[in-house]
Amino acid sequence: GNLFTDSSTTVTLINGIINWDTINRLQAYTQLPNGHPDSDAKNDTLTTIIALPALNGIYTIGNVNADFKSFDDAVEATMLRGVCGPVVFKMNPGNYINVKNTEPIFKNVRGNNAINTITFESSTGQDTSVVITFDFFTFTKITGVIFRNLTFKGRFILDENTRSILFEGNRIITNTFDDAVVSHQYNENVQFINNHFSNAKRFFSYTHLKGNKYPKRLVIKGNTFDEPYTDAIVVNTVDSLIIDSNYFYKQKINGGGRCLILNNDSYFKISRNTIAGEFELGIQLQQPVEVLPVKGISSVENNTIMVYDGIVIQRDRVNVFYNSVYARNGYTPFILVGYADSVCNNIFVSENG
């Protein structure tokens, strides 16, 4: 229709034009102002999102009868609509390539907390049946997100105020020149349980920036880590760090390669891990950059290490118990530069004596 200058009108939408189970965008634009072509089309359009009810319960993703067609749509809907109870997205088998947004961000979900969690999981329970591909996926200001039995091709960034995030039973495949999980900001209670990581430059890079609030409680347990290009896990200052019952293997000799590098002054426990292959060093505990409140003596215990140099201690307030270390090609199974509170009941063997 036509409008005179400074006038307005009301448009009534046809009944049924809005589907309340999907994302609706209302767009209005002008055409031929004053009967002439628009000389500047950049300011002729207004777009708004129609308010939708909050999510609650079980939804499906990924076929013609699903609630959401793509992983992108489900993430976007969660951020736009919020949640009013626990939400579970069952992902049907398929390859989900993030065409709309290769760098998705998950943030600021209304109603989301440690009780009103958001879960994405394979509908079959098989991690290889659902493959999600993106460049990187950022979490910021969000709580209670769970990913279970999925395959991810990409990298994750844990940004500020990310809390209670769980990755369980997934495959995480990353480009050999990228770190799989990166954090420079405060996050809390992030857990990686029984996942399979492969092909990253590093699998974890927690390089906390001095002066920022430091991350709290990172749990890495029961995972398999195959073929890091350089180091496997690098952590700089996490309050309460658990690295337990993981398997690390490096076959190729490239990019150096230390397995665990910790520059951590608060409590940590490294236990029951197996480290094998072409790592030039198994576990290195460096002198901390920042001094955090002491919360007991940290420990390195019950690990099996079969690499070149085994364990290097360059700090104090740590116990070294019940480890079996086999140093290859005449390298050193144990190097103490700092002061370990106790070193006992370990087996240290050098291949060449």
Side-chain angles (χ1 to χ4, degrees):
N2 298 315
L3 283 178
F4 294 105
T5 303
D6 295 328
S7 64
S8 62
T9 190
T10 299
V11 177
T12 301
L13 299 178
I14 301 172
N15 187 33
I17 198 171
I18 294 179
N19 180 355
W20 292 104
D21 290 326
T22 62
I23 300 166
N24 296 271
R25 293 179 176 84
L26 180 63
Q27 187 175 81
Y29 57 91
T30 61
Q31 189 177 37
L32 297 175
N34 296 322
H36 299 284
D38 194 342
S39 61
D40 184 7
K42 296 178 182 178
N43 62 355
D44 69 351
T45 303
L46 178 65
T47 302
T48 189
I49 303 297
I50 302 295
L52 300 170
L55 299 174
N56 184 14
I58 298 175
Y59 299 86
T60 55
I61 303 175
N63 60 34
V64 293
N65 297 317
D67 299 300
F68 299 95
K69 292 182 179 179
S70 70
F71 178 70
D72 273 346
D73 288 342
V75 170
E76 186 175 7
T78 306
M79 291 190 294
L80 289 172
R81 298 168 62 171
V83 300
C84 58
V87 173
V88 177
F89 292 103
K90 298 280 189 179
M91 299 192 65
N92 292 311
N95 293 313
Y96 297 81
I97 299 175
N98 279 35
V99 176
K100 184 192 304 182
N101 187 1
T102 61
E103 302 173 1
I105 298 177
F106 213 0
K107 64 179 181 180
N108 297 334
V109 176
R110 295 187 309 277
N112 169 231
N113 53 46
I115 296 175
N116 292 346
T117 57
I118 303 165
T119 301
F120 293 85
E121 62 185 24
S122 167
S123 63
T124 66
Q126 300 295 318
D127 56 16
T128 56
S129 69
V130 176
V131 180
I132 305 171
T133 303
F134 47 83
D135 183 4
F136 57 84
F137 194 170
T138 301
F139 299 87
T140 182
K141 298 178 181 178
I142 194 165
T143 300
V145 180
I146 300 167
F147 295 100
R148 186 176 286 124
N149 298 328
L150 305 168
T151 293
F152 294 100
K153 292 185 177 181
R155 50 192 170 134
F156 296 94
I157 298 177
L158 304 178
D159 213 336
E160 60 178 326
N161 293 324
T162 299
R163 294 180 172 90
S164 299
I165 307 298
L166 171 62
F167 286 80
E168 183 177 23
N170 304 287
R171 290 180 179 267
I172 300 174
I173 304 167
T174 310
N175 187 295
T176 54
F177 299 105
D178 292 323
D179 298 334
V181 181
V182 177
S183 174
H184 303 299
Q185 301 285 348
Y186 171 74
N187 53 74
E188 180 178 336
N189 193 30
V190 175
Q191 300 183 72
F192 288 82
I193 310 293
N194 297 332
N195 302 283
H196 189 145
F197 290 78
S198 59
N199 296 337
K201 178 182 178 182
R202 299 182 187 90
F203 296 120
F204 284 82
S205 180
Y206 259 67
T207 53
H208 166 250
L209 301 177
K210 188 173 182 180
N212 289 350
K213 187 177 180 181
Y214 48 82
K216 184 176 182 180
R217 195 169 187 270
L218 171 63
V219 177
I220 303 171
K221 184 175 181 179
N223 303 282
T224 297
F225 296 93
D226 279 337
E227 212 57 46
Y229 187 77
T230 57
D231 310 314
I233 294 179
V234 179
V235 175
N236 174 7
T237 311
V238 172
D239 183 4
S240 299
L241 169 68
I242 305 296
I243 302 177
D244 179 64
S245 302
N246 301 285
Y247 178 78
F248 299 88
Y249 185 72
K250 181 177 174 69
Q251 181 178 3
K252 299 176 182 178
I253 304 174
N254 55 21
R258 296 168 291 178
C259 186
L260 303 180
I261 308 170
L262 271 62
N263 188 336
N264 207 68
D265 197 49
S266 191
Y267 174 79
F268 63 84
K269 184 177 182 179
I270 305 174
S271 61
R272 300 182 296 180
N273 300 285
T274 298
I275 302 172
E278 297 297 328
F279 289 105
E280 63 184 33
L281 193 155
I283 299 173
Q284 183 175 11
L285 306 181
Q286 297 178 331
Q287 186 64 32
V289 174
E290 290 190 73
V291 179
L292 303 182
V294 177
K295 296 185 177 179
I297 303 300
S298 298
S299 66
V300 177
E301 58 186 72
N302 290 301
N303 299 284
T304 301
I305 302 173
M306 296 172 287
V307 293
Y308 291 95
D309 285 329
I311 300 175
V312 177
I313 308 292
Q314 298 170 287
R315 50 156 297 152
D316 58 7
R317 299 200 310 279
V318 60
N319 291 327
V320 183
F321 294 154
Y322 304 110
N323 299 282
S324 298
V325 183
Y326 182 86
R328 300 170 54 190
N329 295 351
Y331 282 74
T332 307
F334 183 72
I335 301 172
L336 180 60
V337 179
Y339 171 75
D341 286 73
S342 182
V343 180
C344 64
N345 296 315
N346 300 281
I347 299 174
F348 297 123
V349 178
S350 178
E351 185 177 49
N352 296 335

